[in-house]
């Protein structure tokens, strides 16, 4: 079955290996099977922060990372939320289909509020899931690749699509969530891998920067290396990353290192990561910002043409 896939990222910093193994590699695979839309969610940056930061530089970085990992602009439509005003026009009728109580109960919104850097919770934070519904439904999205923490947002989109169709007549498909099967990588400090915590290896990091990050990675006091995720999570995380980069089982790598200790593990991991990232870094160096912005401009035009058609359908169905 041919699907329309909607996925994307907030431009808040460089993408890292967690993004690659979590979502990017899957997008590259999906582009050969389905129609794929990739959203640069720039308006969503201000959901949980007061200022967008270096938004243009972050957008450029995101575009270069997309092209470097193999997203093909001839196969996917890469577009920017703020360039498609129809998305925000769709938001208004969609908001009328959900209650305040339903938005307040959303567990992902609750978690994002708890970790927000803002002093007070904005109205935009509560409407975030409905913004995402507009992003997904404008292109009649049928498949949404997400992590477990984003499942409640997809449920809001499904709710919006069903209620709109029941009230005004069938316009939208009810999309399905696509759960990734990639293992969850922790950061090099043992915590959640994050752009803002400095515990991730960015796809654009140099070989020396990569080596320095891995040297500083947390391990434990046991010299004999074993793959035991429950009792030795930091060591297991490094072994898992080495396995993902080399296509080998982490248990096999652990057995090979044996009594070599953390130094040998980190040396092997550094070599594996740098070898894995070498072609991605090469492609990134061959694309300039002007070309990346051209790709975005062309994607914006295609996405907006579709959004205009969808908004016209919505208005007609509603009797406007």
């Amino acid at each position: 079955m041919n699907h329309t896939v909607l996925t994307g990222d907030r431009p808040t910093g460089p993408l890292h290996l967690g993004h690659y193994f979590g979502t990017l590699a899957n997008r590259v695979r999906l582009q050969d099977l389905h129609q794929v839309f990739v959203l640069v969610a720039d308006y969503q940056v201000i959901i949980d922060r007061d200022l967008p930061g270096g938004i243009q530089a972050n957008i450029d970085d995101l575009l270069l990372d997309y092209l470097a990992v193999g997203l093909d602009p001839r196969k996917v439509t890469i577009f920017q939320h703020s360039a498609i005003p129809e998305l925000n026009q769709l938001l208004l009728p969609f908001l009328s289909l959900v209650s305040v109580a339903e938005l307040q109960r959303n567990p992902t919104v609750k978690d994002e509020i708890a970790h927000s850097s803002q002093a007070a919770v904005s109205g935009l934070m509560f409407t975030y899931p409905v913004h995402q519904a507009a992003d997904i439904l404008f292109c009649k999205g049928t498949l949404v690749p997400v992590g477990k923490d984003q499942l409640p947002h997809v449920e809001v989109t499904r709710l919006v699509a069903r209620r709109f169709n029941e009230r005004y007549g069938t316009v939208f498909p009810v999309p399905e969530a696509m759960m990734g099967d990639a293992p969850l990588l922790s950061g090099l400090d043992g915590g959640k891998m994050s752009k803002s915590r400095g515990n991730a290896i960015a796809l654009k990091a140099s070989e020396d920067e990569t080596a320095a990050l891995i040297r500083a990675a947390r391990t434990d006091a046991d010299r004999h290396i074993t793959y035991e995720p429950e009792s030795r999570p930091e060591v297991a995380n490094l072994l898992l990353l080495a396995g993902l980069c080399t296509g080998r089982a982490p248990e096999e790598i652990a057995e090979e290192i044996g009594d070599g200790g953390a130094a040998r593990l980190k040396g092997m991991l550094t070599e594996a990561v740098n070898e894995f990232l070498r072609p991605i870094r090469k492609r990134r160096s061959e694309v300039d910002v002007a070309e990346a912005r051209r790709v975005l401009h062309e994607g914006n035009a295609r996405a907006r043409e579709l959004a205009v058609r969808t908004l016209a359908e919505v208005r007609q169905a509603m009797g406007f």
Side-chain angles (χ1 to χ4, degrees):
M1 179 180 176
N2 199 301
H3 284 283
T4 297
V5 179
L6 188 285
T7 182
D9 302 279
R10 297 199 301 169
T12 54
L15 298 182
H16 50 66
L17 281 172
H19 293 117
Y20 182 86
F21 291 115
T23 61
L24 295 174
N26 199 36
R27 292 179 198 176
V28 173
R29 181 183 66 82
L30 288 170
Q31 73 181 352
D32 292 320
L33 302 172
H34 305 292
Q35 184 180 28
V36 177
F37 289 83
V38 180
L39 169 66
V40 177
D42 54 349
Y43 270 160
Q44 292 179 14
V45 172
I46 56 172
I47 282 174
D48 59 355
R49 58 196 72 198
D50 297 322
L51 297 170
I55 189 73
Q56 188 57 58
N58 286 340
I59 290 171
D60 291 340
D61 260 350
L62 197 59
L63 296 172
L64 292 172
D65 284 337
Y66 284 163
L67 299 175
V69 300
L71 286 178
D72 186 343
R74 295 168 298 181
K75 298 176 181 178
V76 305
T77 298
I78 301 172
F79 69 102
Q80 182 177 0
H81 190 132
S82 63
I84 318 295
E86 290 73 20
L87 294 179
N88 299 321
Q89 288 181 269
L90 287 171
L91 175 65
L92 294 177
F94 287 178
L95 278 172
S96 74
L97 300 170
V98 294
S99 69
V100 172
E102 285 169 331
L103 293 175
Q104 288 175 327
R105 285 197 301 266
N106 187 298
T108 305
V109 170
K110 287 181 179 178
D111 182 67
E112 285 163 348
I113 287 171
H115 292 90
S116 172
S117 62
Q118 292 179 313
V121 179
S122 71
L124 187 60
M125 175 67 85
F126 281 110
T127 62
Y128 180 24
V130 188
H131 271 268
Q132 290 199 329
D135 296 337
I136 294 165
L137 294 176
F138 98 93
C139 62
K140 310 286 182 76
T142 58
L143 196 64
V144 188
V146 290
K148 186 177 180 181
D149 61 330
Q150 290 289 309
L151 277 176
H153 285 351
V154 179
E155 282 306 310
V156 171
T157 301
R158 291 167 55 81
L159 182 70
V160 167
R162 284 196 299 267
R163 287 181 179 171
F164 188 95
N165 293 341
E166 289 164 2
R167 185 176 296 185
Y168 300 113
T170 301
V171 172
F172 297 109
V174 178
E176 298 288 336
M178 178 185 181
M179 287 289 290
D181 56 3
L184 183 64
L185 280 169
S186 297
L188 296 173
D189 59 359
K192 181 180 177 181
M193 187 174 285
S194 169
K195 300 171 185 174
S196 61
R197 297 182 185 181
N199 64 356
I201 299 171
L203 299 180
K204 70 173 187 175
S206 70
E207 297 204 2
D208 288 344
E209 288 168 340
T210 298
L213 283 166
I214 293 172
R215 276 198 303 273
R218 185 174 297 174
T219 55
D220 59 32
D222 190 342
R223 181 172 178 80
H224 185 73
I225 299 300
T226 57
Y227 183 67
E228 300 175 75
E230 294 298 321
S231 58
R232 306 183 69 187
E234 293 93 351
V235 169
N237 189 56
L238 299 186
L239 288 166
L240 175 59
L241 181 53
L244 289 169
C245 288
T246 59
R248 298 171 63 195
E251 294 89 347
E252 178 189 333
I253 297 171
E255 188 175 341
E256 182 179 310
I257 295 172
D259 291 328
R264 187 172 174 202
L265 170 58
K266 290 180 178 182
M268 176 181 282
L269 178 58
T270 299
E271 186 177 338
V273 171
N274 279 329
E275 181 64 27
F276 180 82
L277 287 178
R278 205 159 281 136
I280 294 175
R281 290 166 175 153
K282 183 174 185 298
R283 284 194 296 269
R284 201 180 199 280
S285 70
E286 293 168 350
V287 182
D288 62 23
V289 170
E291 181 181 348
R293 289 181 179 178
R294 178 186 57 77
V295 166
L296 182 62
H297 179 76
E298 292 174 356
N300 287 342
R302 291 197 298 273
R304 187 161 192 205
E305 184 180 346
L306 181 54
V308 167
R309 290 203 303 269
T310 299
L311 182 61
E313 283 185 67
V314 165
R315 289 170 58 83
Q316 183 177 14
M318 294 177 69
F320 281 93

